[in-house]
Amino acid sequence: MSLLLIALNAADAQAGAGFAQSFGSEFDVLVLTKGDVPAIGARQVFSVDQADLAPADAMATMVQGQLGNYTTIAAVSAMWSKDLLARVAGLVDAPMVTDVIAIPAPGQYLRPIVAGSLLATVEVDGAPVFLTIRPAGFAKPEERANGSTSSLGAPSNGVTVRTNKSASQGGRPDLTQAKVVVSGGRPLGDAATFERLIGGLADKLGGAAGATRAAVDSGIASNELQVGQTGKIVAPDLYIAAGISGSTQHMAGMKDSKIIVAINTDGDAAIFQIADYGLVMDLFEALPAIQSALD
Amino acid sequence: MKVLVPVKRVIDPYAKVKANAEGTGIDTTGVKFEINPFDEIAVEEAVRQKEKNPAITITVVSVGPEAAEEQLRKALAIGADEAVLIQTDDELDSRAVAHELAAFAQELQPNLILMGKQATDNDANQAGQRLAAKLGWPQATFACAVEFAGDNLTVRRETDEGEETLSLPLPAVVTTDLRLNEPRYIALPGIIKARSKPLTKRPRLTDAKPLVRTVKVEQPAPRQAGVRVNSVAELMTALRDRGAL
C-alpha cells in the first residue's frame, strides 16, 4: 500500500498533508508547478519544472507516466484536480472517488452526495484508486522533513493551447485554504458595496471573501468567489455569512466550517439553524460595526 | 457538424431527499425526476450553436432506465434533433457510463460532445473527463463560453483562481458550468410537439461494470444550532472568548 499525493503548488501540498500523514503508509508527493515544497514528511518529492499547470491533456499523459506502483493517487478537491485526476483515471481505467471526507475502513470512502444532503459510503474495485479529498475531515498535519527531491521536466505539449488566463482574487488568501471566510449574499446590492463591506472585513481578518450563487449571478461578486455545491467547498476556522439566507446549495459548501456566524435581518433564515452565533441585524449596520470593533 | 449531448435523469435537485429505509440509496418515493441541470445547460448550448449554424445536428443520448425517455423528450423540445436511450436498469458509475458513451460516440462520430460537469445526484464530476480520455480527445471542463473557430473550438472555462481560455482541436469533450447559459423555458405543448422527433431505444453497448459501489447512504448528523447574540459587542465578546479572533 502506498500513496502518491498530487499537489498543484506548495499551499496545496500543505492542504493535503494531513490526509497523507494519516493515510497509514509512506507517501510521495508530486508537485505540479515549481516552487518551494513544505516539510510534510513525504518520502520523495517530485517537482515539475513549470510555472503554470499545463492543460489537462498534456498533464494527464505526464501524470500517467508517474503512477508507478502506487495503490492510491490523491489530491485535494478542486477544479484543477477534478479536471486532471478524472482524466488520468479514465486513461488507466481505474476507479475514482471524488470529495472524500473520511476513510471509515480500509477500502471504504465516505463522501457527500446530492449537494451534501446525504452521505454515501462507497467501495471500489481495481487499482490504483484515485481520490479527491476534502481536508477538513482529516487530521491537521505535523511539520516533518521530506526525503529526497527530484525535478521533473515540464510535460510535452498536448493538443490543447491556453490562450488567456485571468485571476481576480486581488491578494487575498485562497478561498479554500483561508482560515477566515467572510461571505455575502444578494442584499449587498452591488459590487462596490460587496468589496467595501465583505472584502473590507475579510482583509481586516486576514481572510478570504466568499459569495452566494445569487450574489454571483447578479454580478455583485465574481464567479470564483462562489461558495456552495456548484462552487468552492470551504471549511475555515471562522465563517461569517452576511445577508445569506442559507440555501441547501450554499450550506453544502460551508457547513463544515469550525465556527459559523450568521448575520441576517430575517430571524427565520435557514442559515441560523447551523450557525454557532446568530445575529438578527441589518448587515449594513453590523459589518461596519464589526470592522470598527476590530480597529 | 454533429454535436452529441449526453443527459442524465436525476432526482429533482430542489427536492428534499432522504436515505431509503434500508440505508442503501436515496428514497425516491414521490420524488420528481428532472434532466440534470448541467446537462440541460449543455443541450441549450448545443441548440444556440445550431441557431447560429443550421448545419449542426444534435443527438442527445441517455444511459439509464426506460423512464429517462421523459428527459430525452425535454431535450428534444429544447431543440435537439434526435434522441437515443441506451436502456438499462443496471447501477452504473461514471466509469461504466463513460464506456457506454465512448462506444456510442465511436459509432456516431460527433465533432463535439457537450455535457454537464457533474450530475446533481452523485456529484461525481468524472464522466466527461473519463470519456475524453477513453476517446483520446482533448477536454475543456467547467466551460462558461464556447465558440467554434474553424476546426478548433475556443472555450472560456472557470478555474480555481479565475478564468482561462483554451483552444482545442475538434473532436473534443466540453463540460458545462452554470454560467454558460440559462436554459429556455419549455412549456408542456413544446414537449408534446417534440414527440414527433425520432427517439431510438437500444440495449447497452458494452459490459463495463461499475468500479465504485455504494454500500451505505445516510443522513449527515445535523449541525447543532448555537446561540443568538443581540449585538455586535456581544458577538465580538463571544468570538474572542472562543479564540476565534
Side-chain angles (χ1 to χ4, degrees), chain B:
Chain B
M1 176 82 78
K2 289 186 204 166
V3 177
L4 173 62
V5 185
V7 299
K8 185 178 184 185
R9 173 183 170 86
V10 297
I11 195 158
D12 176 1
Y14 301 105
K16 258 213 156 4
V17 295
K18 52 185 209 283
N20 62 19
E22 303 77 36
T24 53
I26 301 168
D27 184 359
T28 55
T29 38
V31 182
K32 275 193 315 172
F33 284 82
E34 299 285 352
I35 185 167
N36 171 36
F38 294 106
D39 294 338
E40 189 174 355
I41 290 171
V43 176
E44 174 70 32
E45 187 61 26
V47 172
R48 289 188 191 189
Q49 295 293 342
K50 185 185 168 81
E51 284 163 356
K52 283 188 264 182
N53 175 4
I56 290 174
T57 59
I58 304 167
T59 304
V60 287
V61 61
S62 191
V63 184
E66 189 170 19
E69 180 176 341
E70 190 189 337
Q71 282 67 44
L72 288 170
R73 290 287 174 205
K74 175 149 187 205
L76 291 171
I78 296 170
D81 297 295
E82 56 159 1
V84 176
L85 175 59
I86 298 173
Q87 195 179 322
T88 175
D89 290 322
D90 297 344
E91 285 283 337
L92 302 178
D93 66 353
S94 309
R95 181 254 184 179
V97 168
H99 276 247
E100 292 295 325
L101 294 177
F104 183 68
Q106 270 148 359
E107 220 180 274
L108 184 76
Q109 302 277 328
N111 304 81
L112 173 65
I113 300 178
L114 259 174
M115 60 199 284
K117 67 170 180 176
Q118 69 193 62
T120 53
D121 50 1
N122 71 13
D123 291 329
N125 198 324
Q126 294 182 35
Q129 298 91 306
R130 284 180 170 275
L131 175 59
K134 196 149 174 58
L135 293 168
W137 295 1
Q139 73 191 40
T141 50
F142 309 111
C144 55
V146 176
E147 202 179 330
F148 287 97
D151 293 333
N152 285 273
L153 192 70
T154 305
V155 178
R156 202 146 54 80
R157 63 184 292 269
E158 287 165 16
T159 66
D160 294 296
E161 303 85 37
E163 278 181 16
E164 66 180 17
T165 307
L166 299 179
S167 172
L168 307 87
L170 296 171
V173 175
V174 171
T175 76
T176 58
D177 217 321
L178 273 179
R179 283 194 307 156
L180 181 58
N181 60 51
E182 209 163 298
R184 65 198 68 187
Y185 175 73
I186 303 293
L188 192 61
I191 296 175
I192 293 168
K193 214 170 115 205
R195 289 197 182 281
S196 59
K197 289 186 176 175
L199 188 150
T200 318
K201 293 179 190 177
R202 48 190 298 184
R204 284 189 60 180
L205 310 178
T206 77
D207 57 4
K209 300 266 186 298
L211 298 179
V212 178
R213 286 168 288 111
T214 300
V215 294
K216 190 166 119 188
V217 171
E218 64 199 307
Q219 231 85 19
R223 196 181 165 111
Q224 294 300 316
V227 294
R228 292 286 169 105
V229 289
N230 296 309
S231 67
V232 167
E234 206 181 309
L235 173 65
M236 300 308 281
T237 307
L239 289 177
R240 287 206 171 95
D241 289 351
R242 198 66 191 263
L245 291 178

Side-chain angles (χ1 to χ4, degrees), chain A residues 61-101:
Chain A
T61 307
M62 175 178 195
V63 170
Q64 187 184 3
Q66 298 296 320
L67 295 181
N69 295 316
Y70 299 107
T71 50
T72 304
I73 315 290
V76 171
S77 281
M79 295 168 90
W80 74 266
S81 60
K82 289 175 180 174
D83 185 43
L84 174 58
L85 264 63
R87 186 173 178 100
V88 183
L91 288 176
V92 299
D93 203 20
M96 174 160 165
V97 186
T98 34
D99 295 326
V100 174
I101 57 170

Side-chain angles (χ1 to χ4, degrees), chain A:
Chain A
M1 195 171 87
S2 59
L3 166 69
L4 177 66
L5 176 68
I6 301 184
L8 179 61
N9 51 30
D12 192 51
Q14 186 64 40
F19 160 78
Q21 289 177 2
S22 64
F23 186 70
S25 76
E26 288 192 305
F27 69 95
D28 295 342
V29 61
L30 171 61
V31 185
L32 300 177
T33 55
K34 61 182 168 194
D36 293 335
V37 177
I40 59 170
R43 180 180 58 183
Q44 233 186 322
V45 176
F46 301 99
S47 175
V48 182
D49 188 17
Q50 60 178 352
D52 282 324
L53 189 71
D57 54 342
M59 277 321 302
T61 307
M62 175 178 195
V63 170
Q64 187 184 3
Q66 298 296 320
L67 295 181
N69 295 316
Y70 299 107
T71 50
T72 304
I73 315 290
V76 171
S77 281
M79 295 168 90
W80 74 266
S81 60
K82 289 175 180 174
D83 185 43
L84 174 58
L85 264 63
R87 186 173 178 100
V88 183
L91 288 176
V92 299
D93 203 20
M96 174 160 165
V97 186
T98 34
D99 295 326
V100 174
I101 57 170
I103 301 184
Q108 285 198 340
Y109 306 95
L110 186 69
R111 62 182 301 268
I113 57 171
V114 207
S117 303
L118 296 171
L119 295 176
T121 304
V122 302
E123 290 179 354
V124 302
D125 297 318
V129 181
F130 288 80
L131 306 176
T132 70
I133 59 116
R134 293 189 185 170
F138 297 94
K140 293 265 180 263
E142 297 167 11
E143 191 175 318
R144 292 181 201 166
N146 295 320
S148 62
T149 298
S150 5
S151 184
L152 304 176
S156 314
N157 288 340
V159 296
T160 309
V161 178
R162 178 184 293 127
T163 56
N164 189 33
K165 188 177 171 153
S166 68
S168 50
Q169 276 179 353
R172 294 198 180 114
D174 183 89
L175 185 53
T176 56
Q177 288 164 19
K179 296 224 181 315
V180 178
V181 173
V182 183
S183 281
R186 195 156 37 188
L188 268 304
D190 59 64
T193 310
F194 180 91
E195 177 51 32
R196 181 166 53 85
L197 293 179
I198 299 298
L201 181 55
D203 289 344
K204 276 246 151 80
L205 293 165
T212 61
R213 187 168 139 192
V216 169
D217 283 349
S218 47
I220 297 167
S222 63
N223 186 67
E224 64 275 13
L225 300 188
Q226 188 194 318
V227 172
Q229 181 204 11
T230 56
K232 302 264 162 63
I233 308 294
V234 304
D237 292 341
L238 176 61
Y239 189 92
I240 300 177
I244 291 176
S245 60
S247 65
T248 310
Q249 206 286 129
H250 183 75
M251 295 203 289
M254 46 64 79
K255 67 181 156 91
D256 292 326
S257 305
K258 206 174 282 165
I259 299 176
I260 297 172
V261 173
I263 301 164
N264 203 304
T265 47
D266 176 8
D268 294 327
I271 190 83
F272 286 118
Q273 289 165 21
I274 66 159
D276 296 278
Y277 302 104
L279 177 60
V280 180
M281 194 176 192
D282 188 343
L283 66 91
F284 293 99
E285 272 176 60
L287 293 180
I290 295 173
Q291 284 202 42
S292 358
L294 289 165
D295 280 334

